[in-house]
Amino acid sequence: MAAKQQTGEGTMIVVLKSGNTAQDIEHVCMKIRKMGLRPHVSKGIERTIVGAIGNEALLKVDQLEAIQIVDKVVPIMKPYKLVSREFREDNTHIKIGNVTIGSGAITVIAGPCSVESREQLLQTAREVKKAGATLLRGGAFKPRTSPYSFQGLGEDGLKLLALAREETGLGIVTEAMEPSVVPLVARYADVIQIGARNMQNYPLLKAVGKVNKPVLLKRGLCATMNELLMSAEYILSEGNHQVILCERGIRTFCEFCRNTLDLNIVPAVKKETHLPIFVDPSHGTGKYDLVIPMARAAVACGADGLIIEVHPNPEEASSDGDQSLTPKNFAKLMKELTPIAKAVGRTL
Ligand code: PEP
Ligand code: MN
């Protein structure tokens, strides 16, 4: 018996000739829809391409190539499609208020590991803003190794984050751990964080893929670059193209740090994808005195931003005190980063 032909989800890109109009693009999209595929337009500086997403077997290449404004139809050979540089040449820019992630400016997200109290959060928010951070981090739902450790303040924590945003104007970054809390977190957050432990929680990735909010996707503890990019693909394939990748250290045989910060991934990922990448030297090292040198290295190797844990009194922190900078050390870090950013053609 002949084996049934395997058909799968894939993406072909339809490259348009220059000088195309909105009408031309709509015509190509309509053809793609008629074939039973989903079109996605990506307008670059150099060229416009339309992705045809879905079952490749339905695509009639001849019909598309017969359209005069179509230059060529080519398959994306990589396992990740929408996140690949082939799909979009130009870097993705993500706007959050007056912050643009992925542009020439380095974005610094800072704040406590966990939201603990109004005083703790507001004091940290004021101090990190004064030092130059543009987004505030703080966990309200915390993924802790032990069920007996502090689990976060839940919605009360989200309310405190909203208060801090009101007072300081800083956009907020906070984690969602399960699909059911995504709508709640999305109501408060400016950026939804997906933690390392959840990088391959596919129902969660699909849930944030349906929301119109940027997502900070942290690399899993043992995840390869390919797995990180495939997880990002889940989010984009649901319609949310605002994804920021984040290197936060991986497990290796090295015992002297909490994790090994894999800065190799920063330039490597830039070749593969148009998405911005941040570095988290706090979780990447686990030690406050290593955070500043590794943050400097991250900016030097091309990271688009940093996420740094800061606590007004690290000794008293409910989580991750060992790796939290004091506001004074955070201000020192920001000062040291300015010339490094300049040396690599960025601003801070
Ligand atoms: C955090 O940002 O506090 C956190 C829990 O990070 P990760 O998921 O990278 O461990
Ligand atoms: Mn933490």
Side-chain angles (χ1 to χ4, degrees):
M1 202 168 59
K4 195 167 170 239
Q5 199 197 337
Q6 291 281 315
T7 55
E9 285 272 312
T11 297
M12 299 287 280
I13 53 176
V14 183
V15 183
L16 303 192
K17 291 178 188 157
S18 54
N20 56 77
T21 64
Q23 221 175 353
D24 294 328
I25 298 172
E26 184 41 41
H27 181 67
V28 172
C29 290
M30 183 269 294
K31 278 274 180 196
I32 291 172
R33 273 188 223 106
K34 259 192 170 165
M35 292 172 190
L37 291 131
R38 276 173 290 134
H40 186 281
V41 180
S42 168
K43 277 183 135 198
I45 296 165
E46 297 280 315
R47 56 179 199 167
T48 301
I49 63 173
V50 186
I53 305 153
N55 186 342
E56 275 172 23
L58 298 173
L59 197 89
K60 298 181 184 75
V61 176
D62 293 355
Q63 279 192 16
L64 287 169
E65 284 186 338
I67 303 173
Q68 284 201 357
I69 199 71
V70 171
D71 180 17
K72 58 188 174 193
V73 181
V74 284
I76 296 182
M77 304 309 289
K78 295 278 165 51
Y80 32 87
K81 312 292 180 190
L82 305 174
V83 309
S84 74
R85 277 265 181 220
E86 285 162 272
F87 183 71
R88 192 187 150 91
E89 285 181 305
D90 308 324
N91 291 334
T92 284
H93 290 181
I94 298 171
K95 262 189 87 67
I96 302 157
N98 47 21
V99 176
T100 305
I101 290 174
S103 66
I106 308 273
T107 306
V108 180
I109 307 170
C113 177
S114 303
V115 177
E116 295 165 10
S117 68
R118 184 188 158 106
E119 297 66 42
Q120 172 244 18
L121 188 67
L122 289 180
Q123 188 189 339
T124 314
R126 286 179 203 128
E127 303 251 27
V128 299
K129 176 165 176 160
K130 199 166 76 191
T134 46
L135 295 169
L136 175 69
R137 62 150 290 146
F141 296 96
K142 292 303 301 177
R144 304 304 305 281
T145 304
S146 165
Y148 309 119
S149 299
F150 177 62
Q151 303 284 308
L153 296 180
E155 189 170 359
D156 289 343
L158 297 176
K159 287 183 180 154
L160 291 176
L161 285 163
L163 191 70
R165 172 176 50 208
E166 222 168 273
E167 198 197 292
T168 61
L170 294 171
I172 60 180
V173 182
T174 195
E175 180 163 352
M177 290 206 294
E178 52 188 310
S180 64
V181 301
V182 168
L184 175 74
V185 172
R187 270 212 306 282
Y188 290 92
D190 297 286
V191 177
I192 304 172
Q193 176 172 324
I194 300 297
R197 291 155 193 81
N198 272 317
M199 189 203 84
Q200 288 181 312
N201 179 339
Y202 301 116
L204 182 60
L205 299 177
K206 286 184 185 176
V208 294
K210 292 188 175 78
V211 166
N212 183 23
K213 277 278 155 87
V215 175
L216 180 77
L217 176 65
K218 297 187 91 175
R219 181 182 183 184
L221 279 70
C222 301
T224 62
M225 179 172 73
N226 185 61
E227 287 162 345
L228 173 64
L229 292 174
M230 292 310 288
S231 290
E233 185 79 16
Y234 262 90
I235 303 172
L236 270 75
S237 71
E238 293 293 332
N240 186 352
H241 286 241
Q242 304 178 84
V243 175
I244 306 150
L245 306 169
C246 181
E247 162 61 31
R248 48 76 71 204
I250 50 170
R251 276 285 160 84
T252 69
F253 59 85
C254 288
E255 80 309 338
F256 62 91
C257 277
R258 182 177 180 183
N259 290 295
T260 296
L261 190 66
D262 178 18
L263 290 181
N264 290 354
I265 201 170
V266 174
V269 105
K270 291 256 163 228
K271 288 199 279 184
E272 294 299 309
T273 181
H274 49 84
L275 297 173
I277 181 160
F278 277 37
V279 170
D280 172 349
S282 307
H283 293 86
T285 62
K287 296 182 172 166
Y288 81 89
D289 55 343
L290 300 186
V291 170
I292 294 184
M294 294 317 288
R296 291 193 303 236
V299 170
C301 75
D304 295 293
L306 297 167
I307 176 163
I308 309 279
E309 287 186 338
V310 180
H311 195 287
N313 186 0
E315 278 175 44
E316 299 290 320
S318 300
S319 59
D320 289 348
D322 297 357
Q323 65 194 37
S324 297
L325 296 185
T326 57
K328 195 168 157 224
N329 274 336
F330 178 69
K332 181 169 174 275
L333 163 67
M334 293 298 281
K335 277 214 178 78
E336 291 185 17
L337 289 179
T338 308
I340 297 171
K342 196 170 164 218
V344 293
R346 317 278 299 244
T347 56
L348 191 69

